[in-house]
Amino acid sequence: MSSTNSVGRPTAPGQTNDYVHPTLTGARGLLQDEALIFELGGWDKTGVDIPDADRPADDLDGLLRTDPIGLPGLSEPEAVRHYVRLSQKNHAIDLALYPLGSCTMKHNPRLNEKMARLDGFADIHPLQPVSTVQGALALIDRLAHWLKTLTGMPAVAMTPKAGAHGELCGLLTIRAAHEANGQGHRKTVLVPTSAHGTNPATAAFVGYSVVEIAQTEDGRVNLADLEAKLGDHVAAIMVTNPNTCGLFERDVVEIARLTHAVGAYFYCDGANFNAIVGRVRPGDLGVDAMHINLHKTFSTPHGGGGPGAGPVVLSAALAPFAPAPWVVSGADGFRLVEDQTGAAAAAFGRMSAFHGQMGMFVRAYAYMRSHGADGLRQVAEDAVLNANYIKARLGDVMSPAFPDGPCMHEALFDDHWLEGTGVTTLDFAKAMIDEGFHPMTMYFPLVVHGAMLIEPTETESKQELDRFIGALRAMAGAAKAGDVDRFKGAPFHAPLRRLDETLAARKPKLRWRPETIPPLAAQ
Ligand SMILES: *Cc1c(COP(=O)(O)O)cnc(C)c1O
């Protein structure tokens, strides 16, 4: 049955039953339903008293606005409640485990937040004279130092704003290096079948054609296939390590050797660096470029905390082509290399107008300093231990995609164990919402049928993992016992139920249009 709630939102399009008696108002428990802020309106009022202007009514030569401005005028309590209600409608890492594989959704330490709000970091502007921002530049320099130390790489480009932006930076650097070396004819990038979608997308965006490398039975790069596809036409390979199946590429040194032997570069997708930080230095494996998602490995918030940061570490061969600006220190303190002359003559350009994200840099640096070298090493060890605990405790009721041997930081299951139950990976994931958990990553990597990719991270305690495991074991039991309705109609308890995600992606409603806003004179 499909129905709508009090503000006209669908509650159950296309669903098979009404498992829960719908409320009269659309509220769920103590969570009230909430309209858009524009639907709340209040055009004729304002939350603040603004004194009458001490100037002529119209000194703009008739340019004074006459149309209604169209902003809702809410009082402070109305505005506060609106945003608090919205915040209660979604999951957050501060509520429970966030098991999205390949995303490393770890706790965001409050110390990071405190440091990021210090005036000298929060209240500065990129166009201030460098003499007034020496502390901020020193922090960028220290963070760059630790990123280079942890990866064993000689250079780092700090300006990319996310992992995908880092991939773009890495491939533009590689393209510039090839062009400078008379190798501009190399137009192919090799990507394994298990790669994150951003890898082939980035390569295509830079103008390369993408060729897939096959995978072995045990979820690793197929060396024979790689060798067959390498050649003088290949600019780079893009390999994630640990890969998106949660497995360490055992042949990574050989992969690097084969790649370099044909004159191509090794781009490593470093999104899974959390699993090896402090234990393995990608530079020692032969990597030429790798992005580091500060919001994954180094605990900065995913969204909500402002734009992100995805610094790219570079080998000596690629370093001269890194984008400007970068920080250098000399007798007069720190300064920024901005002009593409001298040391930066070979830089391929810029990734963005300014250096930053400062707030993310401060949080990542605070995280590193509060853990220390031994603590960062333990991050990787605990992340891998937690994932293996989940794999071991769920392995008898769900089917691990690669049952042999341990995993790295994420446990990957396929949907083999759901065969004959009538429940799909999607149904199972939606029912997890009813049980108080954000779903795991589903249907990724594409090479595993009905994939369920679970990444607990190191910040979950054994109690939290046991709570999660208990919920999934109970759900697996229900699915196998034929309790199909529980899954088919899920989520029943979420503020919004199963949405038409394809329609939302194909025809997104990005703009709210008012039916009527009263004319300005009436406001
Ligand atoms: C998260 C991720 C990316 C993209 O990183 P963003 O910071 O989200 O742009 C790329 N590759 C892999 C394997 C990832 O997990």
Side-chain angles (χ1 to χ4, degrees), residues 141-398:
D141 189 62
R142 296 314 293 162
L143 177 62
H145 169 77
W146 287 115
L147 292 175
K148 289 184 284 185
T149 303
L150 287 165
T151 54
M153 307 278 280
V156 60
M158 297 294 285
T159 52
K161 306 288 183 257
H165 205 219
E167 290 174 35
L168 181 61
C169 173
L171 287 200
L172 289 173
T173 310
I174 286 171
R175 190 176 72 179
H178 278 315
E179 279 169 4
N181 297 328
Q183 297 290 309
H185 61 276
R186 293 173 181 266
K187 296 285 183 215
T188 301
V189 167
L190 303 183
V191 175
T193 40
S194 62
H196 193 267
T198 50
N199 293 184
T202 302
F205 191 71
V206 176
Y208 288 120
S209 57
V210 177
V211 173
E212 277 198 4
I213 318 166
Q215 171 163 329
T216 58
E217 282 285 290
D218 70 348
R220 271 93 174 178
V221 168
N222 184 322
L223 276 192
D225 194 51
L226 171 68
E227 223 173 333
K229 286 172 181 163
L230 278 171
D232 185 43
H233 61 295
V234 175
I237 61 163
M238 297 180 89
V239 172
T240 311
N241 193 25
N243 68 26
T244 60
C245 296
L247 302 168
F248 193 81
E249 291 288 353
R250 273 185 244 111
D251 295 319
V252 62
V253 172
E254 181 64 3
I255 291 172
R257 193 190 66 77
L258 292 170
T259 303
H260 293 150
V262 301
Y265 291 108
F266 181 178
Y267 186 91
C268 181
D269 180 329
N272 294 339
F273 190 46
N274 203 52
I276 56 172
V277 61
R279 299 271 323 202
V280 177
R281 302 191 313 164
D284 298 338
L285 306 178
V287 167
D288 294 296
M290 183 181 96
H291 71 259
I292 301 167
N293 314 61
L294 295 187
H295 47 289
K296 294 182 181 171
T297 309
F298 296 108
S299 82
T300 71
H302 288 240
V312 179
V313 286
L314 297 165
S315 63
L318 292 179
F321 306 98
W326 63 75
V327 177
V328 289
S329 67
D332 318 332
F334 293 96
R335 65 186 176 81
L336 286 167
V337 174
E338 295 269 10
D339 300 325
Q340 280 176 245
T341 54
F348 73 72
R350 281 177 181 259
M351 291 302 290
S352 55
F354 300 119
H355 223 294
Q357 308 297 345
M358 198 62 217
M360 297 303 132
F361 291 168
V362 179
R363 287 175 177 89
Y365 186 65
Y367 180 79
M368 285 181 180
R369 293 304 303 267
S370 56
H371 279 69
D374 56 337
L376 287 177
R377 186 186 176 92
Q378 199 181 334
V379 160
E381 290 169 358
D382 289 352
V384 172
L385 181 65
N386 281 357
N388 277 285
Y389 182 62
I390 285 179
K391 185 179 178 190
R393 292 274 331 267
L394 292 176
D396 59 331
V397 290
M398 295 166 62

